[in-house]
Amino acid sequence: MITEEAMRKYFTDLDGKLKARLSHVLLARTSYDRSTQGVSSKYSCIVKIQYHKQLMAELEEGMLFAVENFRSKEDNRRFTLMEISRVYPEHYGLKGLSDSSFYPLQFEVIEQSRADWEFNDPNTMIIHAYCIPVNYELIIDSKGEISFKKGFVYPIVAEKAYIVNKEIIDHMYNDKVRQRMNWNITRTTSHSEKDPRLGIIKMFEGQGEIPIYVDFDRLVRYHFGIFAFTGGGKSNLMSNLLRRLIKHTKDTKIVIFDISNEYVCLLLDLFSDPGINATVVLDEEVTNKDQFYTSFAKPRSLEDEEWLRPTFDKVWEMKDRVRFLQPDEAGRPTYQSLIRDLELLRRDNSEKPTNLRAIQEVMDALNRLILENKVSTNAAVSPQILLEFAEQALQIFQEYKVWNRSALFTWAETLPRVASRIEAAEEVPFDPRKITAKELLDLIEGDTRLVCLSISDPVILKKLATELTYQALYRRKKQFKTTPQVLFVFDEAQEFIPNASSGINQDVSRAVEMLLRQGRKYGLGGCIATQRLAYLNTNALQQLHTYFVGTLPRPYDRGVVSEQFMIDIGILEKTLEFGPGEWLLSSYIATGIENVPIFIKADDSEKELERILSQRKNKTP
């Protein structure tokens, strides 16, 4: 038999202050609108707590109550777990005060009630806690061993409600992760080289830190998202996470599509480390250290920090650290882009049967050339094949008597000029600092672990993202490789997965969606970071298995998160109170317990960067 005294090992009564019982189990809503649509459990629960002033300072949303359920036995205690979504105190006298009462009387009652909050009088005050079941049982066997079982079991109404203590919280969220990743950590710290934690759990903060760990292998392979409004700390969390990925995995590679030009500075310790193969790729060539330094955005806290300059200079001077995108590579057509051109021309000529037959014949000719030359449709077009195709297309249009001033005929006439431009680009003298998209792929598949594409032109970066994701997936499929894992990071994801129906936005959105849908089979992962979810490709969002949610002021954005990831809207509302660096973390696969939201505070990446660089400076002879 497990006694109440023995259960102190698993639960806390907050130094004797907590006396709580489950009072209601209610059926959750079954209909909802776009702003409040997520339901993670079919029930909601209310726990009544005897009033204690200090309890109001210690009880927090996100804490877990445990209430015995109908499967519990004396030698096998089983508790239904539920997460606090809202806590508030109630005064009996104020509750009975009517708005229709005489106004001076109302004010007098309110004024006299103020002093009552200072006394822990259970006759006058009570605390209500609204809770959402997390669909797990906590089981304590006859030997005192604990386990968790997925599924909801109806709790016993009027039974005692216990708060799960910090040791069990640590066990729930972290033990499986530490075992899978072979991490033996005896003391938690924010130092990234010593501890792979992301931060701490926002619970029992006055009683010592509870770290939060994630399984990096599963996090990368099954994709994750970071969502928060401007100033919420997306870049801080991302750089913090990427730094630990590099330091605490054997060979995971990272490719950052950095349209804001900020990650070179945020990860300056990694780019300046000779022991880490890393490359910065810029779209415009810079010729000296000063230009290189001014090419990147700095966090507000580091904008005027001149001590960063020597480290930027070091990166500039390191061999093969800084490369420049070959200009014509970004705009060079692929066979797939030629097919898309013909599809658009087909749509524009939908009411001209003769032109449609000509377009189909040209498309057949292009497909024959692709097969004969054994090239991928995603490969860049060679000038020789393009000239041959242009000749065939013009001949077909002439045979079908397509008007020589039409857009269709003009398109075919411009193809030789495109081929000449490609040839001219190929004749440019070799520059070891220039890099093409194909060479980038070779770099990623080689020894390089970190690549930052610091390109501020959205058109160039979108085209590059389209080609790199298609080609990386094609190569992995062809070779059926699953290692090493590669993480593609899409910061400002509204640029890469818009809900677009045409043009380059559609191309890049489809490419990233394909990566997210198929990449996990081949060791290719994706990270989506954005401040607005309203206009994103929801098919891409549905592929994410882990998500970090910060403050999202717009109800629609919270609704999208709630719908896509099945987080109860009552839990999400807590994020409105978050400061920078505070997050709601939930994962189907990368945490120690599946899909149970937890509030965390991320470690400060900027302080960690400053600490590491200062430490290196002090070691320099």
Side-chain angles (χ1 to χ4, degrees):
M1 180 178 177
I2 303 165
T3 64
E4 290 288 320
E5 186 66 28
M7 287 201 295
R8 292 182 182 276
K9 181 180 177 182
Y10 318 103
F11 306 122
T12 177
D13 60 4
L14 300 176
D15 298 325
K17 298 186 290 293
L18 180 73
K19 296 177 182 178
R21 290 188 179 267
L22 177 66
S23 68
H24 294 83
V25 178
L26 308 171
L27 187 66
R29 61 186 182 278
T30 55
S31 61
Y32 38 83
D33 57 36
R34 287 291 297 176
S35 63
T36 56
Q37 48 191 329
V39 177
S40 56
S41 172
K42 62 182 178 180
Y43 295 103
S44 61
C45 303
I46 301 174
V47 173
K48 304 278 188 179
I49 306 166
Q50 187 170 304
Y51 178 78
H52 192 290
K53 184 183 178 183
Q54 196 173 340
L55 267 181
M56 285 306 302
E58 296 182 26
L59 287 174
E60 297 179 271
E61 288 92 344
M63 283 183 168
L64 294 181
F65 270 120
V67 178
E68 277 197 85
N69 59 49
F70 286 98
R71 290 183 182 171
S72 186
K73 299 176 182 178
E74 284 189 0
D75 60 348
N76 191 255
R77 305 286 290 273
R78 302 174 75 118
F79 298 83
T80 296
L81 296 177
M82 53 194 71
E83 187 166 5
I84 300 176
S85 64
R86 185 156 54 100
V87 179
Y88 70 92
E90 188 173 79
H91 189 287
Y92 183 79
L94 292 176
K95 184 179 179 183
L97 187 63
S98 170
D99 286 342
S100 61
S101 300
F102 187 46
Y103 296 152
L105 176 62
Q106 291 186 45
F107 191 83
E108 181 68 22
V109 171
I110 293 170
E111 189 175 31
Q112 292 297 324
S113 300
R114 167 61 186 88
D116 294 340
W117 297 113
E118 302 299 325
F119 303 99
N120 303 320
D121 184 0
N123 298 316
T124 309
M125 283 86 69
I126 196 169
I127 298 173
H128 300 271
Y130 283 81
C131 306
I132 298 166
V134 298
N135 300 318
Y136 270 92
E137 282 184 284
L138 187 158
I139 302 170
I140 307 174
D141 65 20
S142 58
K143 297 179 181 179
E145 299 294 327
I146 67 168
S147 60
F148 299 93
K149 184 177 180 182
K150 190 169 176 58
F152 174 81
V153 179
Y154 204 93
I156 300 172
V157 177
E159 186 57 84
K160 281 185 178 180
Y162 303 90
I163 285 182
V164 179
N165 67 25
K166 69 186 191 72
E167 288 77 20
I168 302 303
I169 292 291
D170 181 48
H171 172 80
M172 280 177 63
Y173 284 94
N174 295 323
D175 271 13
K176 285 184 179 179
V177 175
R178 285 187 285 239
Q179 290 169 14
R180 288 196 298 255
M181 298 298 295
N182 294 316
W183 290 334
N184 184 21
I185 302 148
T186 56
R187 180 176 175 272
T188 188
T189 174
S190 61
H191 293 190
S192 57
E193 66 274 12
K194 296 179 180 178
D195 194 345
R197 76 178 200 183
L198 298 187
I200 59 172
I201 295 174
K202 279 183 60 62
M203 205 182 295
F204 306 108
E205 291 185 73
Q207 303 177 29
E209 294 180 344
I210 311 173
I212 182 69
Y213 300 101
V214 293
D215 184 325
F216 287 145
D217 293 337
R218 296 186 177 192
L219 182 76
V220 171
R221 188 159 189 167
Y222 292 91
H223 321 309
F224 62 100
I226 298 176
F227 313 118
F229 197 58
T230 302
K234 293 190 303 298
S235 301
N236 182 82
L237 174 64
M238 180 77 80
S239 53
N240 187 40
L241 197 156
L242 298 182
R243 179 177 287 110
R244 283 163 168 80
L245 263 173
I246 292 292
K247 292 184 176 182
H248 295 280
T249 61
K250 181 181 177 182
D251 55 7
T252 299
K253 300 170 183 292
I254 299 170
V255 182
I256 309 171
F257 294 90
D258 182 15
I259 200 168
S260 301
N261 297 351
E262 58 183 342
Y263 282 95
V264 172
C265 181
L266 291 170
L267 298 173
L268 194 57
D269 57 312
L270 301 182
F271 285 105
S272 60
D273 188 342
I276 297 172
N277 287 328
T279 300
V280 180
V281 180
L282 303 172
D283 54 337
E284 294 185 4
E285 189 169 355
V286 296
T287 58
N288 56 57
K289 292 185 287 188
D290 290 340
Q291 289 180 357
F292 182 69
Y293 178 73
T294 57
S295 297
F296 307 103
K298 283 80 177 175
R300 189 182 308 167
S301 63
L302 303 176
E303 282 178 351
D304 301 320
E305 298 293 345
E306 280 299 316
W307 58 266
L308 286 173
R309 175 66 78 97
T311 310
F312 272 101
D313 293 348
K314 179 181 178 181
V315 174
W316 171 257
E317 292 166 356
M318 293 172 75
K319 184 180 179 182
D320 296 333
R321 278 290 141 131
V322 183
R323 308 288 292 274
F324 307 107
L325 188 67
Q326 192 77 19
D328 289 318
E329 275 295 308
R332 186 167 177 171
T334 63
Y335 296 98
Q336 184 64 45
S337 69
L338 293 177
I339 292 170
R340 283 196 297 270
D341 288 348
L342 288 168
E343 291 288 354
L344 291 172
L345 290 167
R346 190 206 299 271
R347 187 184 65 189
D348 294 341
N349 289 269
S350 59
E351 297 180 359
K352 299 175 181 178
T354 303
N355 287 8
L356 288 176
R357 285 193 288 273
I359 291 169
Q360 185 58 52
E361 195 164 325
V362 170
M363 192 170 286
D364 292 341
L366 178 59
N367 287 328
R368 281 195 300 273
L369 285 170
I370 291 171
L371 289 172
E372 289 169 5
N373 290 277
K374 297 179 181 179
V375 292
S376 163
T377 56
N378 294 317
V381 177
S382 76
Q384 295 78 19
I385 295 176
L386 189 57
L387 282 171
E388 186 178 351
F389 171 63
E391 185 179 341
Q392 293 182 21
L394 284 168
Q395 185 178 345
I396 292 168
F397 289 155
Q398 287 168 355
E399 289 173 356
Y400 278 89
K401 294 181 170 50
V402 174
W403 185 37
N404 61 8
R405 292 187 181 179
S406 66
L408 186 57
F409 202 94
T410 303
W411 173 80
E413 283 185 319
T414 61
L415 294 178
R417 293 171 59 186
V418 175
S420 298
R421 180 171 57 82
I422 295 171
E423 284 183 330
E426 290 178 345
E427 293 172 1
V428 173
F430 174 73
D431 183 345
R433 283 203 161 185
K434 294 287 181 66
I435 190 167
T436 65
K438 180 181 180 301
E439 290 168 338
L440 264 173
L441 279 169
D442 296 337
L443 203 68
I444 294 165
E445 292 290 354
D447 296 330
T448 302
R449 293 200 62 194
L450 178 61
V451 176
C452 183
L453 305 171
S454 191
I455 298 172
S456 55
D457 187 323
V459 175
I460 293 176
L461 196 56
K462 287 175 186 178
K463 288 181 178 179
L464 192 57
T466 304
E467 185 167 356
L468 285 179
T469 50
Y470 271 135
Q471 289 296 330
L473 194 56
Y474 175 77
R475 285 191 183 191
R476 286 289 175 104
K477 283 182 176 180
K478 192 174 179 180
Q479 302 170 7
F480 198 76
K481 285 179 62 178
T482 59
T483 57
Q485 291 195 134
V486 182
L487 174 66
F488 291 89
V489 177
F490 301 96
D491 194 27
E492 303 296 342
Q494 65 276 5
E495 299 287 345
F496 300 98
I497 54 167
N499 191 15
S501 58
S502 62
I504 189 174
N505 287 332
Q506 183 189 44
D507 294 341
V508 70
S509 185
R510 284 180 174 176
V512 176
E513 181 187 335
M514 183 182 295
L515 173 78
L516 296 176
R517 280 194 286 107
Q518 301 179 21
R520 66 176 66 98
K521 300 174 186 176
Y522 306 100
L524 301 178
C527 168
I528 302 300
T530 185
Q531 58 182 300
R532 280 306 312 267
L533 294 97
Y535 304 110
L536 295 189
N537 179 348
T538 53
N539 291 329
L541 288 178
Q542 287 169 358
Q543 309 306 317
L544 308 180
H545 282 60
T546 303
Y547 21 90
F548 299 84
V549 185
T551 300
L552 293 171
R554 296 179 177 89
Y556 182 89
D557 291 336
R558 295 196 301 278
V560 171
V561 172
S562 183
E563 176 189 24
Q564 297 295 326
F565 310 126
M566 295 307 296
I567 303 178
D568 197 283
I569 201 71
I571 296 291
L572 273 175
E573 297 296 338
K574 172 67 176 175
T575 62
L576 292 172
E577 305 169 18
F578 282 178
E582 297 179 342
W583 300 90
L584 171 65
L585 164 63
S586 188
S587 177
Y588 289 103
I589 199 160
T591 52
I593 192 161
E594 179 184 314
N595 203 33
V596 178
I598 187 77
F599 298 121
I600 70 170
K601 184 172 181 61
D603 288 331
D604 192 323
S605 180
E606 293 169 23
K607 287 184 178 178
E608 179 67 0
L609 173 65
E610 185 174 353
R611 183 191 68 80
I612 294 170
L613 296 185
S614 297
Q615 192 175 62
R616 286 184 192 170
K617 183 180 178 181
N618 293 334
K619 285 183 179 179
T620 303

